[in-house]
């Protein structure tokens, strides 16, 4: 599943400096501020058949109505589940005294995005130590034959 991009404000007909209300589509998750932030799946849109948005709890339950103008509805953003490094060179900024490591962020809906992990010199030293410790636990991963995922003792190499 790919992550649906959020259109920018200008493409929605807004002028700079104005806020555009969230207009969810059928099946979208929305948080209703009028219901103490309750999250629901949009099951009906305002239009010919309904005067309001209709939402249902994601696991089922009683539906409720939200105003047709969408002023109480907010998008529900997919949460990040984990981050993995991207096989590209990291960079060090001498002026800022920090490194930049390209990473990929993975979301619970299956989507991904690229980002940069910013690390200080102290953080780099800590993670270098942690990486060396993990390599020892894995029996020296650089010496493992291609495709091997366990040490000679059967310990998994992550």
């Amino acid at each position: 599943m790919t992550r649906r991009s959020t259109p920018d404000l200008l493409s929605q007909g807004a002028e700079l400096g104005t806020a555009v209300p969230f207009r969810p589509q059928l099946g979208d998750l929305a948080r209703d501020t009028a219901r103490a932030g309750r999250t629901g799946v949009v099951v009906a849109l305002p239009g010919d058949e309904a005067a309001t948005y209709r939402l249902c709890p994601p696991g089922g339950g009683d539906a409720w109505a939200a105003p047709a103008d969408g002023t109480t509805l907010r998008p529900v953003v997919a949460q990040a589940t984990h981050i993995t490094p991207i096989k590209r060179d990291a960079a060090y900024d001498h002026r800022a005294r920090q490194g930049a490591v390209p990473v990929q962020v993975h979301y619970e809906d299956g989507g991904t995005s690229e980002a940069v992990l910013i690390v200080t010199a102290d953080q780099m030293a800590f993670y270098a130590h942690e990486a060396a410790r993990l390599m020892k636990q894995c029996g020296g991963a650089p010496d493992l034959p291609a495709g091997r995922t366990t040490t000679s003792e059967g310990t998994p190499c992550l």
Side-chain angles (χ1 to χ4, degrees):
M1 176 187 285
T2 58
R3 193 159 190 217
R4 186 170 56 182
S5 64
T6 304
D8 61 60
L9 294 176
L10 293 176
S11 70
Q12 294 182 27
E15 295 180 25
L16 288 177
T18 63
V20 174
F22 174 56
R23 302 229 187 264
Q25 301 300 308
L26 285 176
D28 283 354
L29 281 178
R31 187 173 50 84
D32 192 347
T33 59
R35 299 272 181 156
R38 188 175 181 193
T39 299
V41 177
V42 177
V43 295
L45 301 173
D48 296 335
E49 297 179 22
T52 62
Y53 283 99
R54 296 288 298 164
L55 294 97
C56 247
D62 295 332
W64 74 92
D69 62 5
T71 54
T72 66
L73 300 178
R74 303 291 181 268
V76 175
V77 180
Q79 299 296 308
T81 59
H82 63 285
I83 298 173
T84 55
I86 297 174
K87 292 185 180 181
R88 280 193 246 150
D89 290 341
Y92 186 76
D93 182 340
H94 291 279
R95 280 185 338 160
R97 295 184 176 182
Q98 61 189 20
V101 181
V103 295
Q104 188 166 41
V105 182
H106 301 261
Y107 298 94
E108 63 188 357
D109 66 357
T112 61
S113 65
E114 290 188 9
V116 178
L117 173 64
I118 304 298
V119 289
T120 65
D122 287 343
Q123 291 167 330
M124 285 186 274
F126 172 77
Y127 289 116
H129 172 75
E130 287 298 295
R133 186 179 63 79
L134 290 172
M135 298 286 276
K136 274 186 181 178
Q137 286 180 358
C138 199
D143 299 329
L144 288 175
R148 187 167 167 193
T149 59
T150 60
T151 65
S152 56
E153 297 83 33
T155 306
C157 289
L158 302 176

